[in-house]
Amino acid sequence: MGQGAVVVAINNMPVIPRGVWGLVHLLPPYNSKDFGERQYTAKVLPLICLIVIMTWCATTQAAVLPQERSDAMYHSYQGGGMSIDGPSILLRKNIGNSVSVTANYYVDTISGASIDVLATASQYQEERTEHSVGLDYLRNKTLMNLSYTTSSENDFEATSISFGLSQDFFGDLTTLSIGYARGNDEVGKRGDDNFLEQADRQNYRLGLTQVVTKNMIVGLSFENIADEGYLNNPYRSVRFIDESSARGYRFETEAYPTTRTSNAAALSANYYLPYRASLYAEAKVFSDTWGIDANTYKVGYIHTFTDDWIIELRSRFYSQDKADFYQDLYQRSEEFNFRARDKEMSTFSNVALGFSVSYEFRFSAANWLKKSSINLDFDHVRFAYDDFRNVLVDAPVGDEPLYEFSANITRLYVSIFY
Amino acid sequence: MKSLFKRHYIKPALTLVFGLLMSGCASIEPWVQPYERENLADPIMSMNRNPVASSYTHHAFQAREGARGAEGGAGGGCGCN
């Protein structure tokens, strides 16, 4: 490797301070008659180390803490026989210049029942309450965060703790983040006080955002999740042919593997248009050890009117292949060791179209209040299943129509920034 | 062939990787200057403009789909997060 190659390679480094460029010229000229390439490399290495150490010692600029804000939201999901709604309150406050604390209270009130439950049981009503607290600590260009979340239902308890770290590089044009989370689920079953199962979960996250131009940011994120324990839904069943039954089939308990590992990777881009509007797009691939492969694509356009109105239009497309052990209809009871007829394990796709409207205003002239906004987000989603049949329709066994449904997701919230 | 590759490229490659990693801590001569980041700092460029709504939306989809993870970007990247 000659000096020219060294200079070209260093030129391709993301950022080197201008003053350090002069050091590159200190590299000795390469002449194969004087010494071999190995000797040349050995001679050049200390100088390159000097260059990178000087780069390391270059000036730093501080990153910033997340914006202080409070949000009060009403959320609603209506579709597939389910009605889920409730409030969510999110508070974020800084303490000094380097600490930010956050707290979230969230409730799901669930009524009705999905087709999976209707086929085997009656409608139900329950409530899920989630609490989470978090702390962010900023030190120079490094932002660390720690959060703890609990979720409670009458038949399900979950806790998780998460640690994350993000660091700005290359003149704050690049942000690298890593994260780790560990969770534990305690799974119960209504009507069976003796039923108690456990599951553990570990998440590893890696993210990178990069400023490409003064109008464009791209992001890359990767997450590995590993579960171990009881991963079934205790209320879901598989069906198998039983000609002695009046319907021609019967149901029995699902049986999932006790481990699952998944990988997801997403690539996204945001582009600022010349008239205070932006476009964004995201593509995500997913794969797991159960055989599920999925793709997600999102595109959106955000437009502003005056300084007060922000309108967003978006579309999302999702498709997945079924788990290896999924079947809509088994030939006999306990046909395989692992069995699932959970529609989330089947082959299906969904398309979502949505919009958001935000109006920014200032309801108080108080100095501590920067701005406020009222926001409405709405998405309409259509699900279409390729191998999950609607057993609520009277039809020959295995010839029932394929299931499909639509859902509306609404979020109405007020935000204040201070 | 392997030793040829090793002799010619491994050390310089390691040196450059080391250099890249070390230079990562620098904050110098960005090709987008701090004063050029007004557009990037606009909330409409944020991948997570409203955390309370986006975390709920992720939950609503994740509960009904087999896929999970890799939600949202790393945040920031323009010194204005």
Side-chain angles (χ1 to χ4, degrees):
Chain A
M1 185 163 130
Q3 186 189 24
V6 172
V7 173
V8 167
I10 292 175
N11 260 324
N12 289 331
M13 285 182 179
V15 177
I16 294 286
R18 186 172 288 167
V20 174
W21 283 117
L23 290 174
V24 173
H25 299 292
L26 295 175
L27 297 178
Y30 174 70
N31 187 334
S32 58
K33 290 176 186 170
D34 298 337
F35 40 74
E37 290 185 19
R38 188 186 295 261
Q39 292 167 296
Y40 178 79
T41 304
K43 196 169 181 178
V44 163
L45 191 61
L47 276 168
I48 291 182
C49 287
L50 176 66
I51 292 170
V52 296
I53 287 168
M54 288 191 70
T55 320
W56 171 272
C57 297
T59 58
T60 59
Q61 293 175 338
V64 290
L65 286 169
Q67 187 167 24
E68 291 182 286
R69 63 185 291 174
S70 296
D71 303 84
M73 178 175 79
Y74 166 78
H75 59 83
S76 164
Y77 174 93
Q78 307 285 333
M82 303 286 290
S83 174
I84 306 168
D85 64 356
S88 178
I89 309 287
L90 178 67
L91 307 172
R92 180 176 281 284
K93 182 82 183 86
N94 291 357
I95 301 172
N97 295 322
S98 57
V99 175
S100 173
V101 290
T102 182
N104 183 217
Y105 169 74
Y106 174 96
V107 177
D108 272 337
T109 302
I110 305 158
S111 60
S114 67
I115 185 174
D116 309 87
V117 175
L118 285 178
T120 56
S122 56
Q123 294 198 9
Y124 65 98
Q125 187 157 9
E126 68 176 0
E127 188 171 285
R128 181 174 80 89
T129 306
E130 185 179 298
H131 297 89
S132 66
V133 290
L135 185 140
D136 292 75
Y137 175 63
L138 177 68
R139 184 179 169 83
N140 291 331
K141 291 161 170 275
T142 308
L143 188 64
M144 289 162 268
N145 60 70
L146 186 67
S147 66
Y148 177 74
T149 303
T150 63
S151 174
S152 178
E153 295 171 61
N154 58 0
D155 53 359
F156 192 88
E157 298 286 334
T159 57
S160 70
I161 188 160
S162 172
F163 175 74
L165 194 148
S166 71
Q167 171 83 36
D168 290 346
F169 293 97
F170 307 139
D172 294 340
L173 297 182
T174 305
T175 300
L176 179 69
S177 65
I178 56 173
Y180 171 76
R182 183 161 195 137
N184 174 262
D185 298 342
E186 285 186 358
V187 186
K189 191 174 182 181
R190 287 188 304 275
D192 185 353
D193 293 339
N194 296 321
F195 185 94
L196 181 63
E197 298 283 354
Q198 301 262 345
D200 290 312
R201 181 171 303 106
Q202 294 192 79
N203 302 43
Y204 298 89
R205 294 186 295 271
L206 179 69
L208 186 78
T209 56
Q210 178 67 53
V211 171
V212 181
T213 70
K214 61 183 181 181
N215 290 316
M216 187 174 184
I217 302 179
V218 297
L220 182 66
S221 58
F222 174 80
E223 186 164 359
N224 170 279
I225 305 176
D227 302 270
E228 187 169 4
Y230 183 83
L231 307 178
N232 292 30
N233 179 329
Y235 303 107
R236 300 281 171 92
S237 303
V238 298
R239 66 172 182 152
F240 61 93
I241 294 173
D242 181 359
E243 290 176 355
S244 65
S245 163
R247 291 184 294 190
Y249 61 85
R250 283 199 293 140
F251 287 96
E252 65 182 357
T253 308
E254 288 188 321
Y256 286 13
T258 54
T259 60
R260 181 188 187 194
T261 303
S262 67
N263 290 302
L267 179 66
S268 61
N270 293 48
Y271 185 76
Y272 194 92
L273 296 166
Y275 48 91
R276 200 180 173 228
S278 70
L279 286 167
Y280 66 86
E282 181 181 283
K284 185 163 76 175
V285 292
F286 171 88
S287 183
D288 72 8
T289 52
W290 287 1
I292 298 174
D293 292 312
N295 296 301
T296 311
Y297 302 99
K298 281 193 279 192
V299 290
Y301 171 70
I302 302 173
H303 192 88
T304 57
F305 294 100
T306 67
D307 288 336
D308 304 328
W309 291 91
I310 300 177
I311 310 290
E312 177 178 338
L313 300 173
R314 60 181 167 269
S315 179
R316 180 183 186 275
F317 177 78
Y318 174 85
S319 65
Q320 73 170 52
D321 292 333
K322 68 183 181 71
D324 296 335
F325 50 90
Y326 172 89
Q327 263 181 236
D328 180 65
L329 181 64
Y330 289 85
Q331 296 303 306
R332 62 176 189 276
S333 174
E334 299 185 358
E335 184 179 8
F336 301 109
N337 289 338
F338 299 126
R339 308 174 296 277
R341 192 182 169 272
D342 191 330
K343 65 183 184 302
E344 284 78 47
M345 300 285 131
S346 70
T347 300
F348 72 94
S349 62
N350 66 54
V351 179
L353 294 172
F355 70 86
S356 297
V357 180
S358 297
Y359 175 67
E360 292 183 0
F361 62 103
R362 192 164 180 184
F363 69 79
S364 165
N367 286 337
W368 60 271
L369 187 67
K370 288 178 182 165
K371 66 175 181 180
S372 319
S373 68
I374 184 164
N375 312 271
L376 173 67
D377 296 2
F378 179 82
D379 289 274
H380 179 75
V381 197
R382 291 194 65 84
F383 292 80
Y385 295 85
D386 290 356
D387 50 11
F388 179 82
R389 295 185 180 277
N390 185 353
V391 297
L392 302 178
V393 175
D394 194 18
V397 178
D399 285 335
E400 299 92 347
L402 293 170
Y403 185 60
E404 58 184 24
F405 77 100
S406 59
N408 293 326
I409 307 172
T410 310
R411 290 128 289 171
L412 178 65
Y413 53 104
V414 176
S415 309
I416 58 171
F417 301 80
Y418 37 88
Chain B
M1 185 67 186
K2 191 179 174 185
S3 62
L4 186 72
F5 176 82
K6 211 171 176 180
R7 192 174 71 221
H8 282 268
Y9 298 111
I10 291 293
K11 258 191 179 176
L14 285 175
T15 305
L16 286 173
V17 167
F18 178 70
L20 277 171
L21 289 173
M22 295 289 283
S23 66
C25 295
S27 167
I28 3 117
E29 297 298 335
W31 59 88
V32 179
Q33 301 296 332
Y35 56 82
E36 294 179 306
R37 298 178 197 176
E38 183 186 1
N39 294 347
L40 300 173
D42 193 311
I44 66 170
M45 284 292 281
S46 171
M47 294 178 186
N48 190 17
R49 187 157 50 102
N50 291 302
V52 72
S54 56
S55 69
Y56 168 75
T57 309
H58 293 152
H59 169 72
F61 281 110
Q62 204 167 78
R64 290 159 189 88
E65 297 173 346
R68 57 188 186 170
E71 301 290 357
C78 64
C80 49
N81 57 339

